[in-house]
Amino acid sequence: MLADRRTPGPVRLLAGAGLLACGAAGAPVHAQNIEPRAYAPAPTGVNFLVLAYVGTRGGLSTDNSTPLKDPHLAVQGPILGYARTFGLLGQLAKFDAIVPSARLSGSATFQGQPVERQVSGLMDPLVRLSVNLVGSPALALEEFRSYRQDVIVGASLQVSLPLGQYDNTRLVNLSANRWAFHPEIGVSKAMDRWVLELATGAVLYTTNKDFFGGQHRHQDPILTARANAIYNFRSGPWLSVDTSYFTGGETTLDGRPENNLQRNWRVGTTFAYPVNPSVSVKLNASRGVSARTGNNFDLLGVALQYRWGGGL
């Protein structure tokens, strides 16, 4: 979320508020989320509105467990996000919601035959509750001005809602047509202008009971881990180098195993720049560097963030 550990002024608070830019970029692929500052401190009562535009190209990035070979897909479109900080049992908490839409186009191979797909519409929305359990109490702005981060331990639960565009006669869709739950626990450590973050979690899926002609498709949990190294510049911007690893996610189709274990690495970077005390711009990019399954896609995103409330 926020701030340089020594100078929590209004501009620096804004520059550090990395609430949704990477989270929005990860909406199609939340199992591979590499979002920085998920548990960073902030004053309570602050609202964030984010408009982002994200594009991916390469391997399959909407459901990387589908039985396709050699996917070459492009997914791009606008994403709207909202977040608010508040106090929960004396600790800092945050709620955020992300509504992505996209245009998908490209080709792949299915059972030895080339297939193509073009579709536009709503992707599955994401909602999340995050709570900083240790090291980040709920503070109003005046109290927060004297706060200095040391070690923060936080936890979150993100839920993917199956509300996006879906057609059971197609293998590639903008919706996964199932619920997904992503619990995570993370640690954030400040060291002068550096902040180091580590987080681990899992993504749990319900069964898609209407997969490709009415089949039942079940997916095992995916285990996730990510690390972020963030540098806060004196004038307000910050830069993060990010990496993530995930494994698991084997699927069964009407009880038959599909032998599609995932084991993938991603790396990326995020840069945030404050335009004024209410507006900031964020740029982020990531790519797959190693993948057991065909999902080494590249991602580019830009986000405009507006902040208000909390006495700011």
Side-chain angles (χ1 to χ4, degrees):
M1 288 179 216
L2 300 175
D4 185 284
R5 77 187 283 234
R6 295 176 300 176
T7 316
V11 172
R12 189 171 297 281
L13 294 183
L14 174 67
L19 288 169
L20 290 170
C22 291
V29 285
H30 57 88
Q32 305 179 53
N33 177 28
I34 57 175
E35 174 185 2
R37 293 185 175 269
Y39 306 105
T44 57
V46 181
N47 301 277
F48 298 86
L49 184 65
V50 176
L51 179 61
Y53 193 89
V54 176
T56 71
R57 184 177 297 274
L60 188 63
S61 59
T62 55
D63 181 356
N64 46 33
S65 63
T66 54
L68 295 175
K69 303 296 184 182
D70 302 319
H72 298 282
L73 301 175
V75 183
Q76 56 187 343
I79 296 172
L80 182 66
Y82 170 77
R84 179 177 174 85
T85 61
F86 59 97
L88 182 63
L89 300 177
Q91 301 299 312
L92 176 68
K94 179 193 66 174
F95 169 81
D96 63 65
I98 301 169
V99 181
S101 59
R103 180 181 184 274
L104 181 151
S105 62
S107 63
T109 301
F110 175 60
Q111 296 181 347
Q113 300 296 317
V115 293
E116 295 184 350
R117 179 72 157 129
Q118 291 189 0
V119 63
S120 299
L122 181 71
M123 303 187 76
D124 289 340
L126 302 170
V127 295
R128 176 172 53 184
L129 176 66
S130 306
V131 181
N132 288 356
L133 304 173
V134 176
S136 180
L139 300 173
L141 179 62
E142 290 305 314
E143 300 171 296
F144 184 78
R145 291 186 187 279
S146 60
Y147 169 86
R148 299 295 180 266
Q149 180 185 343
D150 186 13
V151 176
I152 293 173
V153 179
S156 65
L157 175 63
Q158 187 176 62
V159 180
S160 175
L161 289 66
L163 300 177
Q165 187 279 342
Y166 187 77
D167 180 351
N168 74 348
T169 67
R170 301 281 191 166
L171 279 169
V172 178
N173 285 282
L174 296 178
S175 170
N177 195 43
R178 63 186 177 184
W179 293 79
F181 303 89
H182 187 183
E184 182 184 76
I185 186 165
V187 178
S188 175
K189 168 64 176 177
M191 297 180 294
D192 194 31
R193 295 193 173 277
W194 287 93
V195 178
L196 302 180
E197 299 177 336
L198 296 172
T200 186
V203 185
L204 312 174
Y205 303 97
T206 62
T207 299
N208 181 354
K209 298 181 179 180
D210 193 22
F211 176 78
F212 199 48
Q215 302 175 88
H216 285 215
R217 194 159 189 263
H218 174 76
Q219 185 168 10
D220 291 341
I222 290 179
L223 303 180
T224 68
R226 62 176 177 83
N228 311 94
I230 304 151
Y231 183 78
N232 294 295
F233 296 93
R234 291 185 182 275
S235 57
W238 56 265
L239 177 69
S240 176
V241 177
D242 318 305
T243 186
S244 71
Y245 174 77
F246 66 100
T247 186
E250 290 185 279
T251 62
T252 58
L253 189 62
D254 285 341
R256 303 185 304 272
E258 295 188 280
N259 189 31
N260 54 0
L261 174 71
Q262 300 182 50
R263 190 179 295 122
N264 304 322
W265 283 95
R266 291 192 67 78
V267 296
T269 186
T270 306
F271 177 71
Y273 182 81
V275 178
N276 60 45
S278 296
V279 177
S280 67
V281 175
K282 296 182 180 64
L283 305 173
N284 66 293
S286 66
R287 72 179 308 169
V289 294
S290 174
R292 186 180 184 274
T293 55
N295 57 1
N296 269 349
F297 59 90
D298 297 329
L299 182 149
L300 290 173
V302 58
L304 181 68
Q305 177 180 276
Y306 177 72
R307 183 200 65 173
W308 75 97
L312 297 173

